[in-house]
Amino acid sequence: MKINDIISMVKDTTQKISEKKTLKIKDIVLIPEFQKLLVMEEDVLEKMKQSMKEEGFKSGHEIHIWKRGKEYILIDGHTRKCAWESLGNKTIPCIIHNFADIEEAKTFAIKEQINRRNLSGQALLDAVANFNFEKGKGNVVGEKGKASEIIAKQIGVSTKTVEKTRVVLKEATPEQLEAIKKDELSMNQVFNQIREKRKEENSEKESDVSASTETETKAEAKTDAKTEKPKGKPKSEKQSAKTASKSKTDEAFEKGVRYAINEIRKGISLEDLEKSLSA
């Protein structure tokens, strides 16, 4: 067995060791990374207060703490901690964990919350929003594959559900997100609304491109009509033709005059000369 394998086994064993302990509430540290994992619901908080007031803190419902150095960081059980503290309690039952890093702690916390809730709507948004979607990684160091597949496996839903949730997180309007939070719209309904909006926008773009192309074609045709010159011989060619025609006429006239003079010298009469020229 390689030394790295031995170190990995020891590390995994150490991380799985946990202990139950009662901590002073004032010693527990809250950090945003875990506070925002899943939203604390007011109606759930009120019901929990009433239950704790009547039955106390139930065994098996301890809050989960990550011992990071000397800090005791609350990673799961914010609603229980808030309800118990609001009743005037100064200490709270905990389970202390050791994790390699914050991503490992987050993965554990999300799984714990999913096991207690029906993961849909706002809870699903919160869970997916807090995962690392870097290509090839979920929140498990060293695990390979498509991020959405890794995360889907970790939170117990389908890959398609994770991908739809990501679309909603990126493209939903504030009004749509609020509707999900209030359970007025489901995740799928909002996803379908976003998809329909995309189709409409693509259709409008295609229409705009078509109209623009038609306008440009008409404009080009008008421009060509204006700039097109009447067909015919260029001016220089016409002038050359006229000059050539005039030269031939002059030449013929001169020949005729010479012929007439020669004939008269030979003694031909004007009457005979006229007949000869018209023949």
Side-chain angles (χ1 to χ4, degrees):
M1 183 178 287
K2 295 179 181 179
I3 187 68
N4 288 340
D5 294 332
I6 296 172
I7 293 171
S8 180
M9 285 177 63
V10 171
K11 184 180 177 182
D12 289 342
T13 303
T14 303
Q15 288 169 4
K16 289 175 183 177
I17 293 174
S18 59
E19 60 173 326
K20 290 186 179 182
K21 189 173 182 178
T22 299
L23 291 178
K24 292 180 180 179
I25 292 176
K26 67 180 183 66
D27 292 337
I28 296 172
V29 178
L30 304 180
I31 63 175
E33 285 84 353
F34 295 100
Q35 287 178 295
K36 66 182 182 181
L37 276 180
L38 290 178
V39 175
M40 187 184 298
E41 300 172 2
E42 287 298 324
D43 58 336
V44 174
L45 177 61
E46 290 304 316
K47 288 176 183 177
M48 193 170 289
K49 283 182 185 179
Q50 188 62 34
S51 174
M52 286 179 169
K53 189 183 293 184
E54 295 171 0
E55 303 175 36
F57 201 103
K58 294 179 181 178
S59 177
H61 290 253
E62 295 85 358
I63 64 174
H64 292 274
I65 301 293
W66 173 27
K67 190 174 186 301
R68 185 175 66 178
K70 293 183 179 180
E71 291 182 314
Y72 291 100
I73 299 171
L74 178 59
I75 63 171
D76 175 58
H78 290 78
T79 305
R80 279 168 286 162
K81 180 255 183 191
C82 185
W84 188 242
E85 187 178 17
S86 69
L87 296 175
N89 296 288
K90 303 297 182 184
T91 61
I92 189 168
C94 308
I95 296 178
I96 313 298
H97 300 271
N98 294 284
F99 297 109
D101 52 39
I102 194 167
E103 296 301 337
E104 190 173 78
K106 281 170 69 176
T107 299
F108 174 85
I110 290 172
K111 284 181 178 178
E112 282 297 305
Q113 296 192 54
I114 290 166
N115 288 337
R116 295 192 306 272
R117 301 189 188 196
N118 176 23
L119 192 64
S120 60
Q122 187 63 46
L124 184 57
L125 283 174
D126 292 336
V128 173
N130 282 282
F131 273 94
N132 173 15
F133 274 87
E134 183 182 347
K135 188 176 181 181
K137 294 182 180 179
N139 275 339
V140 176
V141 178
E143 188 170 359
K144 295 180 180 180
K146 190 177 178 182
S148 55
E149 291 175 357
I150 297 170
I151 292 165
K153 184 170 66 176
Q154 290 181 41
I155 64 178
V157 297
S158 69
T159 301
K160 194 171 183 180
T161 296
V162 172
E163 290 171 349
K164 283 183 178 182
T165 304
R166 289 194 73 198
V167 170
V168 171
L169 283 167
K170 289 179 180 179
E171 300 184 35
T173 64
E175 292 76 16
Q176 287 173 323
L177 292 175
E178 186 65 21
I180 290 174
K181 185 177 180 180
K182 293 179 178 178
D183 290 327
E184 295 171 354
L185 289 174
S186 69
M187 185 70 64
N188 272 335
Q189 285 174 318
V190 172
F191 174 79
N192 289 333
Q193 288 176 358
I194 291 170
R195 188 171 57 179
E196 287 303 314
K197 185 181 178 183
R198 283 179 179 177
K199 288 181 181 178
E200 289 174 6
E201 289 175 348
N202 289 335
S203 178
E204 287 175 3
K205 284 179 183 178
E206 289 174 2
S207 298
D208 291 343
V209 169
S210 177
S212 176
T213 303
E214 186 177 350
T215 302
E216 288 175 5
T217 302
K218 288 181 179 179
E220 287 172 1
K222 286 182 179 179
T223 302
D224 291 343
K226 287 180 180 179
T227 55
E228 186 177 355
K229 292 181 180 179
K231 293 181 179 179
K233 293 181 179 179
K235 198 171 183 180
S236 58
E237 289 182 9
K238 289 182 180 179
Q239 289 175 342
S240 298
K242 285 182 180 179
T243 303
S245 178
K246 186 176 180 182
S247 296
K248 288 180 180 180
T249 303
D250 292 344
E251 187 178 349
F253 179 76
E254 289 175 0
K255 285 182 178 180
V257 171
R258 288 194 198 100
Y259 172 77
I261 292 171
N262 287 331
E263 290 298 307
I264 289 171
R265 284 176 178 172
K266 290 178 182 179
I268 192 171
S269 67
L270 291 176
E271 185 178 345
D272 290 336
L273 176 62
E274 184 177 352
K275 288 179 181 180
S276 174
L277 291 173
S278 59

